[in-house]
Amino acid sequence: MNNMGINLDEKNLKKQIIDCMKSLHSRGLMTGVGGNASARQMGEEKAWITPSGLYKPDLNPSDLVNIDLEGKVIEGMFKPSIEWYFHTAIYKKRTDVNAILHTHSPFTMGLALANVKLRPITFEAATILADVPILPFKYPGTEELGNQVGDTILGKRAMILQNHGVITVGFDLIEALSTVEILEEAAIMTFVANIFGPPEEIPSDQIELIKKLYKI
Ligand SMILES: [Zn+2]
């Protein structure tokens, strides 16, 4: 993964989606048929999204599907991910978002399933993960789920679909991918610490300072 922070041309944007899928799969953050991704060039009313049903780590750029924000296929030979509803709902509401990832990160989900909240155990957890809402279970791939995701993720970098998975958003794919990684890292640290006792947290006066500095 490279080209951080650059508004990529279409060819490199598609390659970055493919690289993201391979990276997430190789680290066990999604299965070959679970998870999906999309990205758009800044400000566009359309996005490239992973196809439905295909084995994600083996995807080629030509397998990706270009859809408009109503889910209509503009280009591509496969059906878009069944989760296109929430991808387009997010793009419609968040002009600051150009990339969306959906994973089934096992430690993040394990803690959410047990209703264990992530605490401010690291600087990243205190800032990026200060507020990760959990949406109660809704059947995947529905317009209802899409609309609720669009509303819930306003002003957030990540959210959890209970009994299902994680959604992260970013200015670009690198930012969305980093948030998946930070979430899972904090979840693993929390899991390990809880074996021996409650995890040590950043002192509350320091949290207040962080919140002021980062306007959380
Ligand atoms: Zn899923």
Side-chain angles (χ1 to χ4, degrees):
M1 303 288 292
N2 52 17
N3 299 312
M4 183 152 91
I6 296 169
N7 192 25
L8 299 173
D9 63 26
E10 197 164 77
K11 183 167 166 257
N12 282 307
L13 186 74
K14 289 166 76 177
K15 186 179 176 301
Q16 207 174 40
I17 296 174
I18 302 298
D19 289 348
C20 246
M21 292 284 94
K22 288 185 201 306
S23 172
L24 288 166
H25 180 260
S26 70
R27 288 178 295 161
L29 292 163
M30 59 176 240
T31 62
V33 290
N36 44 66
S38 72
R40 64 175 170 182
Q41 286 181 290
M42 207 168 22
E44 283 203 323
E45 296 282 297
K46 56 187 183 172
W48 288 98
I49 189 166
T50 46
S52 174
L54 270 68
Y55 194 70
K56 304 298 184 297
D58 291 346
L59 286 180
N60 290 303
S62 59
D63 299 326
L64 297 176
V65 188
N66 198 224
I67 56 171
D68 68 15
L69 297 192
E70 302 308 318
K72 191 165 124 319
V73 174
I74 298 167
E75 192 183 332
M77 52 190 160
F78 296 108
K79 276 188 188 169
S81 162
I82 61 158
E83 299 291 11
W84 67 263
Y85 277 116
F86 75 63
H87 286 260
T88 56
I90 294 169
Y91 288 129
K92 278 183 196 169
K93 296 204 170 183
R94 295 278 302 266
T95 51
D96 59 317
V97 165
N98 299 304
I100 301 166
L101 290 176
H102 168 58
T103 69
H104 295 174
S105 315
F107 283 90
T108 306
M109 288 313 300
L111 293 192
L113 290 166
N115 290 308
V116 177
K117 290 246 179 309
L118 286 175
R119 305 288 306 159
I121 52 167
T122 62
F123 181 75
E124 287 89 349
T127 51
I128 293 167
L129 310 179
D131 185 12
V132 180
I134 300 179
L135 194 66
F137 181 78
K138 284 275 175 313
Y139 199 81
T142 61
E143 192 171 2
E144 187 192 2
L145 174 67
N147 289 333
Q148 290 192 0
V149 167
D151 291 339
T152 308
I153 207 153
L154 282 176
K156 313 282 193 295
R157 281 177 68 163
M159 62 175 287
I160 288 170
L161 306 175
Q162 189 58 291
N163 306 97
H164 182 177
V166 174
I167 299 171
T168 68
V169 300
F171 174 74
D172 57 19
L173 277 162
I174 299 291
E175 193 172 83
L177 182 64
S178 297
T179 304
V180 171
E181 292 171 342
I182 291 165
L183 253 177
E184 189 70 352
E185 182 185 70
I188 293 171
M189 287 178 183
T190 302
F191 172 73
V192 172
N194 271 311
I195 294 172
F196 303 101
E200 191 77 33
E201 294 178 13
I202 297 175
S204 54
D205 61 323
Q206 294 295 305
I207 294 287
E208 288 312 311
L209 191 64
I210 290 169
K211 281 184 175 169
K212 260 189 210 148
L213 286 171
Y214 287 83
K215 298 185 175 68
I216 298 167

